[in-house]
Structure formats: structure tokens, C-alpha cells
Amino acid sequence: MTTRVTALLATLLLTLATGGIARAENLIVSVSNHRVTVTPNYSGEELVLFGSIERDSQSRPPGTAYDIVVTVTGPRADMVTRRKERKLGIWVNVDSREFIQVPSYLGIFANRPIDNIASPDVQRRQQIGMTNFALPQRMGPDVANTVASDPFRSAFVRLRTDHGLYREQTSALTFLTPTLFRTGIPLPAEVPTGTYNIDIKLFAGGAFVARTETAFEIVKVGFEQFVANSAHHHGLLYGLATAMMAIMTGWLASVIFRRD
């Protein structure tokens, strides 16, 4: 029995050692700003992600060409896409689809087209690229992902893209040296507040090699933060105050522009 246990332990140690050697490359990354503040005059900005590929004696031969895909996801929420039709001269909603816990912001940045980085099978397994990113929908009693050609999914992605909240840029990441890279992360003016996760995946010769993650947050400050906190924590009082302000504004306007 002791001999068998010793053999199993030796096999386990060998497996762990082999697994450690297989992951010879490591990613080290940093973002230019881990806390973005939104003020009344905020009009958007661009963060910069820097990174390097750390190699050791077990890494691939010098001169190996690497590829990197960076996926940035903002706070998740349920969203609805509606399909409209013109009936009797009026546009009306005829159908809708609810997307369940999808990113409010989705940015995909790579050094070249996704199809040139990995095979379709690897793309699906690693969920790289807008086509392969999971956007689950409620379909009857079930929740499931759909193909990229699904009309509701296509419309949802198009609308988010038009607002700058979804984007795929396959020439945004630049290698400054064979192992040092950078990319910009554009943040539009209407970007939601919350925590943003950054997933960085390294590929070589079409194979997935390594992965690391980091994050940053977007927060409101000043008067906007006060309004946001009031609406979130004191909804009833906030609603009453807003209604009273609207009434007072209307009354004041009627007094100012009243004709004698």
C-alpha cells in the first residue's frame, strides 16, 4: 500500500511540474488609471493598458510571434431590445427580447483580426471576438445564448455600437517590442459607472498560452454623485423633490413670462 501511495504522489508531483512548465509565458499588465471620476463636464476619455510577456527558459523559441486579445466588460445588467413596425402610419413595438446580465460596456481590442489569431474552435472555447462573446437571452422559460446572426442579437449589438458602448477593434493593440504591448480603452461620455473587468489572453501559433486579469472603476463625484446616491437610496424622497422642482420651475416660468 505504501508503495502505491508513493507512486501516486510521484505521479501527481510530475503532473504539477509538467503543468507549470507548459505555462512558460506569463502576462504582466497595468492600466493608466484604476479610478475614473465622472464630473458634470465629463465628455469621455481613453485609458491605456500596458503589458509585457514574461518569458523563462521553457518559453517558446526567440522570435515567436505572439497575439493578444483584450476584452473589457462593464457592469452587467438586464436589457431589452424591441422590434418596431409601422402600422397605420405609426411605429409600434411588435416584439421584444430580454438580454440577461450582459455587459453595459464591451470592448474587444487585438493586434490583428481575430480570425487570424486562432481557429474558430479556439475562438469559441476562449470566447474571443464579438461573434463568440456570450450574450444570453430569455427565450420563453429558458435563458440561452444565440448565434451571431440572430436578428435580436444583431440589433442589440448594433445599437450599443452606435453609442460607442460596444466595439471591436482588431488593430488597436500595438507591440512596442516582441514582448511589450499597449492598447487604448476608449470610454464614451455616457459610459455607465461601476467596476470594469479587463481580461487579457495570450496566443502563439493559434494556441492559447496564458491569461491574466485586472480592473478599473468609474465613479461619479460631486453633485452628480449626490444625485445618484439620493435616487438609489432615497427613491421616494428623490421623486417627490424632482416633482416639486418641476412644479416650481413651471410656476416661476409662468410668472416671468406672464402678460399683463
Side-chain angles (χ1 to χ4, degrees), residues 11 30 100 116 143 189 202 212 217:
T11 303
S30 180
I100 307 300
N116 296 339
V143 175
L202 176 67
T212 191
E217 64 175 347

Side-chain angles (χ1 to χ4, degrees), residues 207-226:
F208 172 66
V209 175
R211 173 187 184 184
T212 191
E213 295 178 315
T214 187
F216 64 92
E217 64 175 347
I218 299 179
V219 297
K220 291 182 178 180
V221 295
F223 181 71
E224 289 202 353
Q225 177 64 24
F226 170 75

Side-chain angles (χ1 to χ4, degrees), residues 75-83 96-106 130 133-137 145-167:
R76 292 179 177 267
D78 295 344
M79 304 181 192
V80 177
T81 295
R82 294 180 172 85
R83 182 168 63 88
S96 65
R97 189 73 59 80
E98 183 181 12
F99 289 81
I100 307 300
Q101 290 298 294
V102 292
S104 55
Y105 176 96
L106 175 60
M130 191 71 70
F133 193 90
L135 297 174
Q137 306 175 30
N145 192 27
T146 57
V147 297
S149 59
D150 174 75
F152 280 98
R153 177 188 168 113
S154 299
F156 176 76
V157 171
R158 186 187 71 252
L159 291 172
R160 304 297 290 178
T161 301
D162 290 344
H163 288 83
L165 296 171
Y166 276 30
R167 61 182 71 217

Side-chain angles (χ1 to χ4, degrees), residues 1-11:
M1 181 65 70
T2 303
T3 303
R4 291 184 61 186
V5 172
T6 303
L8 287 173
L9 288 175
T11 303

Side-chain angles (χ1 to χ4, degrees), residues 225-242:
Q225 177 64 24
F226 170 75
V227 172
N229 286 340
S230 299
H232 182 72
H233 298 291
H234 309 285
L236 178 59
L237 294 177
Y238 175 80
L240 291 174
T242 303

Side-chain angles (χ1 to χ4, degrees):
M1 181 65 70
T2 303
T3 303
R4 291 184 61 186
V5 172
T6 303
L8 287 173
L9 288 175
T11 303
L12 177 60
L13 291 173
L14 180 61
T15 301
L16 292 174
T18 304
I21 292 175
R23 290 180 62 89
E25 290 94 342
N26 290 315
L27 288 167
I28 301 175
V29 299
S30 180
V31 67
S32 59
N33 188 359
H34 287 277
R35 190 171 188 268
V36 178
T37 56
V38 176
T39 59
N41 59 349
Y42 178 80
S43 59
E45 67 175 280
E46 180 175 281
L47 302 185
V48 178
L49 176 78
F50 285 99
S52 65
I53 304 169
E54 189 180 58
R55 296 164 53 89
D56 60 25
S57 59
Q58 302 297 329
S59 299
R60 286 159 179 75
T64 298
Y66 291 106
D67 293 301
I68 289 179
V69 180
V70 176
T71 304
V72 184
T73 54
R76 292 179 177 267
D78 295 344
M79 304 181 192
V80 177
T81 295
R82 294 180 172 85
R83 182 168 63 88
K84 295 185 177 182
E85 288 184 2
R86 192 177 182 88
K87 294 185 177 182
L88 301 177
I90 301 175
W91 288 98
V92 295
N93 296 323
V94 295
D95 200 359
S96 65
R97 189 73 59 80
E98 183 181 12
F99 289 81
I100 307 300
Q101 290 298 294
V102 292
S104 55
Y105 176 96
L106 175 60
I108 299 169
F109 312 100
N111 58 301
R112 58 178 181 151
I114 302 296
D115 288 339
N116 296 339
I117 292 177
S119 66
D121 185 52
V122 173
Q123 293 179 38
R124 285 191 297 271
R125 288 202 308 269
Q126 298 300 327
Q127 290 193 23
I128 57 172
M130 191 71 70
T131 301
N132 300 289
F133 193 90
L135 297 174
Q137 306 175 30
R138 187 177 302 281
M139 307 177 71
D142 300 321
V143 175
N145 192 27
T146 57
V147 297
S149 59
D150 174 75
F152 280 98
R153 177 188 168 113
S154 299
F156 176 76
V157 171
R158 186 187 71 252
L159 291 172
R160 304 297 290 178
T161 301
D162 290 344
H163 288 83
L165 296 171
Y166 276 30
R167 61 182 71 217
E168 178 175 307
Q169 299 175 350
T170 56
S171 59
L173 189 143
T174 303
F175 277 94
L176 306 176
T177 70
T179 58
L180 182 64
F181 59 89
R182 72 177 296 279
T183 186
I185 302 175
L187 301 174
E190 57 185 288
V191 68
T193 58
T195 300
Y196 286 65
N197 297 310
I198 308 176
D199 181 75
I200 305 99
K201 291 180 178 177
L202 176 67
F203 297 84
F208 172 66
V209 175
R211 173 187 184 184
T212 191
E213 295 178 315
T214 187
F216 64 92
E217 64 175 347
I218 299 179
V219 297
K220 291 182 178 180
V221 295
F223 181 71
E224 289 202 353
Q225 177 64 24
F226 170 75
V227 172
N229 286 340
S230 299
H232 182 72
H233 298 291
H234 309 285
L236 178 59
L237 294 177
Y238 175 80
L240 291 174
T242 303
M244 289 300 297
M245 288 179 62
I247 293 172
M248 291 299 296
T249 301
W251 174 80
L252 184 61
S254 67
V255 171
I256 294 175
F257 296 102
R258 182 176 56 191
R259 294 182 180 180
D260 296 331

